[in-house]
Amino acid sequence: MSVDHPYANRTAQHFDGIEFDEALIQKYNRQGPRYTSYPTALEFTPMADGMEADILKNRDATVPLSLYIHIPFCHHLCYYCGCNKIITKKNSDAGDYLTYLFKEIRHKKSVMPSGSRVKQLHLGGGTPTFLSDDELVELWEFLHAEFDFAPDGDYSIEVDPRELRPNTLQILRNLGFNRLSFGVQDLDETVQIAVNRVQSLDLITHVMSEATRLGYQSTNIDLIYGLPHQSIESMNATIREIIKLSPDRLSVFNYAHLPDRFVAQRRIRDEDLPSPSDKLAMFGNIITALSEAGYQYIGIDHFAKPSDTMAQAQRAGELHRNFQGYAILGECDLIGFGVSAISQIGAHITQNPTALADYQTAIRDDKLPAVKHIQSDAKDELRRHVIMNLLCHDYMNFGYLRERFGIEPTQVFADEIATLHDMAADGLVQIDQDGITILPKGRILGRNVAMVFDEYLSQKHAGRFSKVI
């Protein structure tokens, strides 16, 4: 095994294996972060004046860029939603928003050192296709005038199938987008009505067919289990139809019902939700169905065809996680633009205001908008490396930690290793002289393994997370 890159092609067969053990999931299932960063967003502190400018000015220009553009608008309120979305019928609101967005982009670009190439772009929200086709073209052309884009980059957009115009997918493909993510959630009409997101199977089939015809490299479908009126049988029917559509990736999320925190969820009645045991059975059936259909379990609710770049990156030891979830280009600095957008630049994480009015005020006043900040230290970097490799590659290599960080991991993590002994006895992990491996029976519980190494996780965050399942 090469310590230089111990995660590369380590266990090609490992990622074909996943075991669903209900008793062990019940034993270890508890609330925890999704680790889109470490430290997590719960460690944000107020941003000092001038700090964002210093971070941007001092970033390493040799590091490529991943740009995230947040479009916070939706035409419809989905009742399961836990995001700060702005529901409006007027596209003119988005037009005004683009004016602010362009000003923020120019300001940040003026501060950053020149020379970096964009290798990744993602439009998220909200519903980015809330923008008109002309506005999408305007945004793309503006970004290309400001930045140097790699011709073979990863350029993606989240799509609400209900908001597409006849030529939107063709226009996006002509611009250079090569990856799509469709929000579906469930195909059962009763469930769709209960969450205020009604869209027919015919519509989903049409947009998937169009994406294939137009030559998009990868398509993702989002599903949610645990929604009101879902049953084991209805969820089985949904997953069967989705498999027929053959998306390259699937994100299958556990619905966390938190009406005290998210106003939209107050439209959902507790008595309409499936029981915890039914939810667990749904996820078990989803794993079985997708595995039998040939999908690779990536981790934290994500699946991909073995031919997809995400699955390839995992097998090659090159998968990463950031605020967009799993990422194939984790060597990039992530620069976020728009309301609530998060940036990850070296050891720094920043976030823009979550309220539109606050964001607009900052931009009108010619200020860089970030209001929250995390700066990690060497100890954070070590633990981030451990947590992210456990979640991305099911492995933590002792030799690599010795060489890269100059530590003896069996001593530094003696308490954590001792904590994992119960999981080892239950066959979830293997601990040996080379490192810690998450076994097929433990892959669903990867977050629980990672939590052992989180120094920030404590009672102060109780109730802030969803359970793993």
Side-chain angles (χ1 to χ4, degrees), residues 47 50-60 111-113 333 335 343-350 368 370 372-375:
M47 174 77 81
M51 181 177 289
E52 185 176 13
D54 289 340
I55 294 169
L56 291 168
K57 186 186 305 181
N58 294 311
R59 73 166 295 272
D60 185 351
V111 177
M112 295 163 53
D333 276 342
I335 312 292
S343 300
Q344 292 174 288
I345 304 170
H348 301 274
I349 304 172
T350 65
L368 290 169
K372 296 179 182 179
H373 173 250
I374 298 171
Q375 180 171 358

Side-chain angles (χ1 to χ4, degrees), residues 415-436:
D415 291 342
E416 289 82 354
I417 292 171
T419 300
L420 289 174
H421 281 166
D422 283 348
M423 288 188 177
D426 284 330
L428 303 183
V429 300
Q430 174 182 301
I431 305 170
D432 57 27
Q433 62 182 6
D434 293 326
I436 298 171

Side-chain angles (χ1 to χ4, degrees), residues 371-387:
V371 292
K372 296 179 182 179
H373 173 250
I374 298 171
Q375 180 171 358
S376 58
D377 57 22
K379 185 168 61 173
D380 293 330
E381 182 185 357
L382 167 63
R383 290 181 178 269
R384 177 170 60 247
H385 175 87
V386 170
I387 288 170

Side-chain angles (χ1 to χ4, degrees), residues 194 226-230 267-274:
L227 293 174
H229 300 297
Q230 271 182 344
R267 309 281 189 96
I268 295 175
R269 302 189 307 170
D270 291 354
E271 56 266 32
D272 293 335
L273 296 171

Side-chain angles (χ1 to χ4, degrees), residues 38 94 292 456:
Y38 184 82
E292 290 177 352
Y456 294 92

